[in-house]
Amino acid sequence: MEPSAANDETHEIVIAGGGLCGLATALALHRKGLKSLVLERADSLRVEGGGLCILPNGWRALDQLGVSHHLRNLGFQLDKGWDLGLDKGTQQAMPAFGKGEARCLKRSDLITTIAEALPVGTLRFGCQIVSVQTDPLTKFPRIQLSNGKYIGTKILIGCEGSRSIVADSIGLKPPSSFGLGAIRGLTIYPHGHSASHELVRMTKGKTVVGRIPVNDKLIFWFVVFPAPIQPDVKFPREPELIWQKAVEKTKDFPAEVQEMMERCAVELLTFTHLRYRAPWEILLGKFHKGTITVAGDAMHVMGPFLAQGGSAGIEDAVVLGRSLAKIKDDLSKSEKYEEVASKVGEAFDEYVKERRMRVAGLSTQTYLIGVSWEERSPLVKLGAMIARAVLFSNRGAHINYDCGRL
Ligand SMILES: Cc1cc2nc3c(=O)[nH]c(=O)nc-3n(C[C@H](O)[C@H](O)[C@H](O)COP(=O)(O)OP(=O)(O)OC[C@H]3O[C@@H](n4cnc5c(N)ncnc54)[C@H](O)[C@@H]3O)c2cc1C
């Protein structure tokens, strides 16, 4: 692409955000012979969030990216998942576990493995995008960085997570909040832990604790609790204060949970408000405009209750890579906005069509679970439970999805 007088540099494809989805998208494009540039605001790979559970649909997508072989050795197979109600002494098997490959990975292992498979120069750190504009000369998108530089691109893919500037630029609304917060952490047991190869989710009062072993010496855990977003009250971000909160929230949980909190790696703790793009916005939303689209949490952030947000982002990457590969030659041949936009529009139509119903299903199911976890009236909670029972009678069906060949 010819550099525009107003831009400091120009590229064929720019990916905003070098998190899981941005890196997976760059890798999918690379595997199909398409070069991209990933702009990440952090100064190094952002591996916040401890761990990530990958279920069969996620492994199928990772197979297509060609990185699953290495990753399989980094987390052991989880045989089962259990929901334990500590107040009433209930125990229920999770339908998505025990029916195929399920492993928990350290987020740093997953992100680093994908990043290392990218050609040198694909990922650029310290690049905070502050706005997305239209180049007055070429009509292609141009990105403004916080250092004042402008980068022009034929195609822009927004993968900067739930608060995406690219999503704003194509008219998507900011996501909503569940009124819940999550602390995530890792606990290392140098001499091994005694937890079985199972995901265990325990509920006591309004607090939910998840415990997921990664390997014999490492456990990923999360604590979810009511935490509405209030403009005048900020949740502490300092690891030590997050840790105190985690300890406080789990003080009535079994001794092994308290021990897990006591021994955790405090410096790795993170807190997140749980956000979602509403199912009706997924069904009706316009996910591309001109030569710009979105993927991952920027498109469909959802509650983590099915452990699917990350895998859905990897599926997006595979489908997007496949769709854009079909117009690879057109992309390099033309410099005219109208010609490129028409071809890219076709590829994006295909991508969005393929992804919309898939993520609408995940988003609806997680929305209904979120409503039943939130502080809502018993009637609303009952309605959400009934809707979930009717719409998702086969509760583990979402793991059977196959995003197809790259
Ligand atoms: C408690 C919890 C547990 C979860 N558990 C699971 C699980 O077990 N399995 C699963 O599959 N998913 C899980 N998820 C969901 C998963 O974490 C997300 O869906 C996934 O991380 C989204 O990836 P992403 O790349 O789209 O966004 P992100 O991971 O948010 O990455 C966005 C990237 O963009 C960068 N960025 C942001 N703004 C800018 C900007 N202006 N300029 C440049 N760069 C920018 C950020 O620094 C970041 O690196 C969980 C989520 C939560 C909250």
Side-chain angles (χ1 to χ4, degrees):
M1 184 180 174
E2 289 296 308
S4 152
N7 292 329
D8 294 284
E9 52 184 287
T10 52
H11 297 266
E12 298 259 302
I13 306 177
V14 168
I15 296 169
L20 176 56
C21 181
L23 296 173
T25 302
L27 184 55
L29 294 174
H30 168 60
R31 299 278 191 233
K32 300 301 280 184
L34 285 157
K35 198 171 166 212
S36 65
L37 174 70
V38 181
L39 300 175
E40 166 57 44
R41 72 175 167 196
D43 292 326
S44 57
L45 278 182
R46 219 179 122 262
V47 292
E48 278 175 20
L52 204 74
C53 204
I54 307 278
L55 294 162
N57 57 300
W59 286 105
R60 278 178 213 116
L62 287 170
D63 283 342
Q64 292 304 313
L65 294 183
V67 288
S68 51
H69 179 70
H70 169 64
L71 289 169
R72 282 198 168 92
N73 300 321
L74 303 178
F76 55 36
Q77 167 72 16
L78 297 167
D79 302 324
K80 285 225 167 338
W82 296 105
D83 254 322
L84 307 183
L86 300 185
D87 294 319
K88 293 185 185 157
T90 54
Q91 173 166 344
Q92 236 188 342
M94 287 181 172
F97 287 81
K99 291 186 190 130
E101 188 167 13
R103 296 174 198 277
C104 182
L105 296 174
K106 242 168 100 180
R107 198 175 273 254
S108 55
D109 285 340
L110 178 58
I111 302 254
T112 310
T113 300
I114 299 177
E116 284 176 354
L118 291 171
V120 176
T122 305
L123 176 56
R124 205 181 283 177
F125 293 112
C127 297
Q128 169 141 16
I129 296 164
V130 291
S131 74
V132 175
Q133 307 167 6
T134 301
D135 190 317
L137 298 177
T138 65
K139 297 195 215 158
F140 283 108
R142 70 198 292 244
I143 297 151
Q144 185 185 14
L145 299 183
S146 58
N147 61 8
K149 287 200 166 167
Y150 285 93
I151 297 185
T153 179
K154 277 185 183 165
I155 294 180
L156 174 60
I157 304 169
C159 299
E160 338 96 282
S162 58
R163 278 169 288 170
S164 159
I165 292 173
V166 179
D168 287 350
S169 80
I170 60 170
L172 294 173
K173 283 204 289 190
S176 310
S177 165
F178 275 117
L180 298 167
I183 296 175
R184 284 175 281 179
L186 289 167
T187 301
I188 302 160
Y189 297 81
H191 306 295
H193 58 73
S194 56
S196 48
H197 290 205
E198 296 174 340
L199 182 153
V200 179
R201 197 161 63 183
M202 297 161 250
T203 305
K204 188 157 182 56
K206 293 175 180 170
T207 304
V208 180
V209 173
R211 185 189 68 192
I212 320 168
V214 175
N215 56 41
D216 290 329
K217 293 188 174 159
L218 186 68
I219 292 186
F220 165 57
W221 55 262
F222 58 83
V223 184
V224 175
F225 50 90
I229 298 178
Q230 295 162 301
D232 43 341
V233 188
K234 290 268 174 282
F235 195 90
R237 298 281 159 181
E238 298 79 7
E240 186 68 28
L241 297 177
I242 297 177
W243 178 72
Q244 283 172 17
K245 202 66 159 180
V247 170
E248 177 202 316
K249 292 284 172 195
T250 54
K251 66 180 188 326
D252 297 327
F253 278 73
E256 69 263 25
V257 171
Q258 293 179 39
E259 191 199 344
M260 193 165 72
M261 298 297 139
E262 290 294 334
R263 297 172 62 157
C264 75
V266 174
E267 68 287 359
L268 299 179
L269 291 179
T270 53
F271 170 81
T272 325
H273 284 289
L274 300 186
R275 295 171 202 273
Y276 65 94
R277 193 173 292 291
W280 48 94
E281 287 169 25
I282 303 268
L283 281 170
L284 303 172
K286 196 159 165 27
F287 290 112
H288 69 89
K289 186 174 173 192
T291 60
I292 306 179
T293 193
V294 282
D297 276 13
M299 184 190 203
H300 48 64
V301 61
M302 62 186 79
F305 320 113
L306 296 177
Q308 282 293 330
S311 290
I314 307 170
E315 292 170 4
D316 294 342
V318 172
V319 178
L320 196 46
R322 182 166 65 221
S323 302
L324 283 175
K326 292 183 189 157
I327 59 149
K328 185 169 134 188
D329 294 340
D330 303 297
L331 201 58
S332 54
K333 265 189 234 146
S334 182
E335 296 296 325
K336 276 212 175 112
Y337 176 77
E338 286 73 15
E339 282 173 17
V340 174
S342 144
K343 287 289 165 194
V344 172
E346 282 170 28
F348 284 172
D349 275 341
E350 186 181 287
Y351 157 66
V352 172
K353 190 171 169 211
E354 214 174 315
R355 295 305 292 150
R356 194 187 295 279
M357 291 318 286
R358 163 64 175 162
V359 289
L362 293 174
S363 147
T364 307
Q365 204 174 347
T366 48
Y367 172 75
L368 293 172
I369 301 171
V371 167
S372 54
W373 282 25
E374 275 180 314
E375 300 210 71
R376 298 268 198 132
S377 80
L379 211 62
V380 173
K381 287 179 182 234
L382 183 67
M385 277 164 64
I386 294 171
R388 190 173 169 221
V390 172
L391 293 173
F392 301 98
S393 51
N394 181 358
R395 291 199 172 177
H398 55 274
I399 63 167
N400 299 330
Y401 178 85
D402 187 344
C403 62
R405 290 183 72 84
L406 175 61

